[in-house]
Amino acid sequence: MRIFVMSGKKLLISVSAGVIAIACIIGAGIWLGQTAPTSVQPKKLPIYCVKTEEKQIALTFDAAWGNSDTDQLINILKKHNAKATFFTTGEWVNKYPDDVKKLYQAGHDIQNHSDQHPHVAKISAEQLKKDTLACDDKIEKLIGKRPTLYRAPYGEYDNDMLAVFENDLKHFVIQWDVDSRDWKRPTVEKMVESVTKSVKPGSILLFHNDLENTPTALDAILTRLDAENYQYISVNELILKENYTIDNNGMQIKQ
């Protein structure tokens, strides 16, 4: 019988080589599909704006609370030959059906802002569908036209929520790229300056109804934009319905 004696250094090298060889074999097994690496799902985005050379923009209003300025907004929009999109909650439709009818009869678009104004990131897909369809039903019953657009309360969204709207509810989810921040109650002057310097062709502007400075600021904003020959159309008219991509900034681009 022969006995081989290895020095400590040689033994260490031998053991290390063996460990590396075993690790390589295990790694190869993982790579071949026994335990595949987890892939990161690309982040989905709603529509923030549209790429266009036309000087067209969409004015949007979220309506979820009071109705103090409905007639005032209608008159200002008419003065500037502007069509707007009103995202209303189902609760607002219940409280102010006459206002919804007034807005629709004045030529404005009525779309979905949820039924109960939930935090969509905190509810299940089934709850989201139930809430959305409830608002759709109320709007359709009142004006005879079913919404195809959705704006989430608080502007919340994630991949799962967007998938529900794309695959199940068939609604376009709409954000904005120009925020009036009127809910913070800035001065009229500050609101006018911040909005007008941010507008570009294809922009979607966010306002809210039932705020004291918004009507006055809106009139001044549209007066400035009139001088730049902007046209004010509904979101439905502005966005692309097929053959488009959405870039990392939420801009919808025709393919």
Side-chain angles (χ1 to χ4, degrees), residues 47 49-51 239-240 244-246 250-254:
I47 300 169
C49 60
V50 178
K51 184 176 183 179
I239 65 172
L240 304 166
Y244 66 85
T245 59
I246 296 178
M251 177 181 284
Q252 196 185 37
I253 303 170
K254 185 175 182 179

Side-chain angles (χ1 to χ4, degrees), residues 120-139:
V120 296
K122 297 180 179 180
I123 62 176
S124 68
E126 288 307 312
Q127 289 173 314
L128 177 60
K129 286 189 275 189
K130 182 178 179 181
D131 181 85
T132 303
L133 292 172
C135 183
D136 280 352
D137 290 344
K138 291 173 183 179
I139 292 173

Side-chain angles (χ1 to χ4, degrees), residues 140-192:
E140 184 178 27
K141 183 177 180 180
L142 191 62
I143 65 173
K145 186 177 180 181
R146 196 167 185 83
T148 57
L149 310 179
Y150 180 84
R151 172 169 286 158
Y154 315 105
E156 292 179 350
Y157 66 88
D158 59 22
N159 279 13
D160 292 338
M161 172 267 204
L162 292 171
V164 168
F165 281 97
E166 180 179 354
N167 300 324
D168 300 329
L169 295 171
K170 308 300 182 184
H171 284 44
F172 294 93
V173 179
I174 307 299
Q175 294 284 93
W176 58 87
D177 67 319
V178 180
D179 189 351
S180 69
R181 300 186 183 276
D182 53 1
W183 57 275
K184 289 188 173 182
R185 292 174 168 77
T187 64
V188 169
E189 293 76 16
K190 186 173 181 179
M191 207 185 312
V192 172

Side-chain angles (χ1 to χ4, degrees), residues 59-64 66-78 82-89 92-93 96-111 139 142-143 145 208-210 218 234:
L59 308 172
T60 71
F61 295 82
D62 289 358
N67 71 329
S68 61
D69 58 359
T70 301
D71 290 334
Q72 197 175 2
L73 291 176
I74 288 173
N75 290 335
I76 291 168
L77 292 168
K78 182 178 180 180
K83 300 303 178 188
T85 302
F86 286 80
F87 288 92
T88 66
T89 64
W92 200 81
V93 173
Y96 309 112
D98 290 341
D99 293 73
V100 177
K101 290 178 182 177
K102 281 183 182 179
L103 291 167
Y104 182 66
Q105 290 166 358
H108 305 298
D109 203 10
I110 310 298
Q111 296 293 338
I139 292 173
L142 191 62
I143 65 173
K145 186 177 180 181
H208 296 77
N209 75 321
D210 196 44
L218 177 67
S234 71

Side-chain angles (χ1 to χ4, degrees), residues 37-55:
T38 302
S39 60
V40 178
Q41 186 179 8
K43 184 179 180 181
K44 295 178 180 290
L45 289 173
I47 300 169
Y48 281 79
C49 60
V50 178
K51 184 176 183 179
T52 178
E53 299 300 320
E54 301 290 331
K55 298 195 78 171

Side-chain angles (χ1 to χ4, degrees), residues 4-47:
F4 293 92
V5 179
M6 301 177 68
S7 69
K9 184 175 181 182
K10 289 182 178 179
L11 179 60
L12 179 60
I13 294 171
S14 177
V15 171
S16 298
V19 170
I20 292 170
I22 291 170
C24 288
I25 292 169
I26 293 172
I30 291 173
W31 186 251
L32 289 172
Q34 292 179 9
T35 306
T38 302
S39 60
V40 178
Q41 186 179 8
K43 184 179 180 181
K44 295 178 180 290
L45 289 173
I47 300 169

